[in-house]
Amino acid sequence: MLEQPGEDDGMSYTEPDDLRKVRTFVTERAAALGLAPSRIDLLTLAVSELTTNTLQHTGGGGHIRVWAEDGRLICDVTDGGGPRPFGRAMPSAEAVRGRGLAIVERICDSVSTSTVPGGTLVRISLNL
């Protein structure tokens, strides 16, 4: 079981204008925790996809946490939505939507999802 991060390691978001703050928070935390710059870009993209999905498909916003443990940078994205359909093929180039979760799976070293009180937690990690 992974140790949960402290409250200082996270932030909440509730509206589209918060996404810039989310990206800045993730970028700054990842740099402070020692993630390589090219990997920071991947993490920021993955978190941006997950938090954008929260705002498009759920109500009430969400909460993210970022911390390092056992040689990995870990990020939890928790929201009021249902389970995510990971494990799908990448949608075709002609598809208008549906690439976000597929991208997250392909750029992170691990992705998992679990049901938590009031919604769903998606945990992504990248090796440091």
Side-chain angles (χ1 to χ4, degrees):
M1 180 82 177
L2 294 174
E3 178 183 328
Q4 290 299 306
E7 286 300 317
D8 293 341
D9 299 329
M11 71 168 285
S12 295
Y13 58 98
T14 58
E15 56 189 66
D17 286 345
D18 291 338
L19 294 177
R20 179 175 292 146
K21 294 175 196 168
V22 166
R23 288 188 290 270
T24 298
F25 171 77
V26 168
T27 298
E28 290 174 356
R29 285 286 300 149
L33 293 168
L35 192 63
S38 62
R39 306 280 283 167
I40 291 171
D41 291 342
L42 293 176
L43 176 68
T44 303
L45 173 61
V47 172
S48 183
E49 290 292 338
L50 292 171
T51 54
T52 298
N53 279 353
T54 295
L55 297 177
Q56 289 179 342
H57 302 292
T58 72
H63 189 82
I64 61 170
R65 289 187 176 171
V66 180
W67 73 102
E69 184 173 294
D70 296 331
R72 298 181 299 154
L73 188 131
I74 303 163
C75 179
D76 284 352
V77 179
T78 307
D79 62 36
R84 305 304 190 273
F86 287 107
R88 297 182 306 166
M90 181 67 76
S92 72
E94 293 79 29
V96 177
R97 301 176 60 97
R99 287 184 194 82
L101 297 180
I103 289 170
V104 170
E105 281 187 282
R106 284 157 179 80
I107 63 176
C108 294
D109 294 317
S110 70
V111 178
S112 64
T113 185
S114 59
T115 301
V116 295
T120 298
L121 179 144
V122 176
R123 178 168 287 171
I124 59 175
S125 70
L126 282 85
N127 298 330
L128 288 172

